[in-house]
Amino acid sequence: MRYRWLIKITAICSCLAGVTAMGCSGYTPTTKLVEESSSGIVYQVSEQEALDLVYGAMHEVLPEQKIYQPAKPRVGLFVHEQLRPGDVRYARFKETTYIYEVDILRVEGTDSRGNTISGYTYAIKGNGDLKAGPGNLAKIDQKIKSTFDQTDRGIMATAVSVQEAAPPAISSPPPAPAPKASAVEQPKAPSENDAFEKLEKLKKLLDQGIITQEEFDAKKRELLDRI
């Protein structure tokens, strides 16, 4: 009888420690089944919105734990919960740990009308020997599912497939400003003093015989007209 109960408990823990794909009920062993499944819910949210929803759910279930982001190109969040030996809860004789991982997946599928839809979903998994780990994993999954559903942007789709993460938008450098056309300097109208000074110089040139009377009269009229 004791062994039967041990087998049952082991089976339950193994099931809870698996992966939940597509945010649906039930656990599946790997995130690959998201692509192999025939249907699932596609949430039409942005990648950042999906991360915010998952963060809120994980923080609510594990408020004292630090939440990390995995290395690129993976998109998601994870928590590494640790208890040291001597902790009266679950680590009396050895260190126990549990890692909760949630991947944000960009997916594409077909809705009931045959239209192609795209968006995001999540896949959750956990691993470790912390006694409360499997239970917390199930709570995180339920909370994420509830949080995503509350957006009212989930669409049941068929032929769902995982897409590569959208590349970051590369903003093209702004065009270099066009060089300003150099304005053609217009001759400034001479002031009265300038005109008189030039007339005096012209008069000296006339007296010295350098310019003719006609040239003097023409320049004189030009200066006077510009005053």
Side-chain angles (χ1 to χ4, degrees):
M1 180 66 70
R2 178 183 299 177
Y3 293 113
R4 288 182 180 177
W5 278 108
L6 286 174
I7 292 172
K8 289 182 179 180
I9 293 172
T10 302
I12 292 171
C13 290
S14 298
C15 179
L16 290 174
V19 177
T20 301
M22 300 304 297
C24 302
S25 60
Y27 292 82
T28 52
T30 64
T31 56
K32 186 178 180 182
L33 288 188
V34 171
E35 191 158 330
E36 294 176 352
S37 62
S38 60
S39 65
I41 300 177
V42 176
Y43 295 95
Q44 295 189 304
V45 296
S46 68
E47 181 181 290
Q48 187 57 54
E49 285 177 308
L51 280 169
D52 292 341
L53 294 171
V54 171
Y55 181 90
M58 295 182 80
H59 181 70
E60 186 167 332
V61 177
L62 302 169
E64 298 179 359
Q65 299 298 320
K66 189 169 182 179
I67 301 174
Y68 301 90
Q69 283 190 301
K72 295 290 185 180
R74 285 182 60 191
V75 179
L77 299 169
F78 73 93
V79 170
H80 186 190
E81 188 174 12
Q82 295 175 287
L83 291 177
R84 305 290 182 182
D87 191 297
V88 295
R89 291 179 293 171
Y90 315 113
R92 294 183 180 180
F93 308 109
K94 67 173 184 176
E95 180 180 85
T96 58
T97 65
Y98 203 90
I99 298 177
Y100 312 87
E101 297 180 80
V102 181
D103 286 315
I104 302 298
L105 305 173
R106 183 168 173 262
V107 291
E108 187 176 277
T110 306
D111 64 12
S112 59
R113 297 181 179 180
N115 299 318
T116 300
I117 58 172
S118 60
Y120 288 87
T121 187
Y122 70 93
I124 181 171
K125 64 181 177 180
N127 186 37
D129 55 0
L130 185 67
K131 186 177 179 181
N136 286 336
L137 185 72
K139 291 178 182 178
I140 292 172
D141 175 44
Q142 292 169 2
K143 188 63 184 177
I144 294 175
K145 177 69 166 61
S146 172
T147 305
F148 269 71
D149 287 343
Q150 287 174 9
T151 64
D152 290 328
R153 283 183 277 172
I155 300 175
M156 180 59 69
T158 58
V160 177
S161 60
V162 178
Q163 307 295 306
E164 292 185 6
I170 301 176
S171 55
S172 56
K180 294 182 179 179
S182 56
V184 179
E185 293 186 2
Q186 299 295 330
K188 296 180 180 179
S191 62
E192 291 184 3
N193 292 335
D194 292 339
F196 290 141
E197 288 178 2
K198 289 183 178 181
L199 282 173
E200 288 179 358
K201 291 179 180 179
L202 290 171
K203 184 65 170 65
K204 289 180 180 179
L205 294 175
L206 175 65
D207 295 339
Q208 295 173 2
I210 298 176
I211 61 174
T212 64
Q213 183 67 44
E214 294 176 354
E215 290 174 334
F216 174 78
D217 293 338
K219 288 290 183 182
K220 178 180 177 181
R221 283 195 300 271
E222 181 182 336
L223 287 172
L224 294 176
D225 289 342
R226 290 172 56 189
I227 297 177

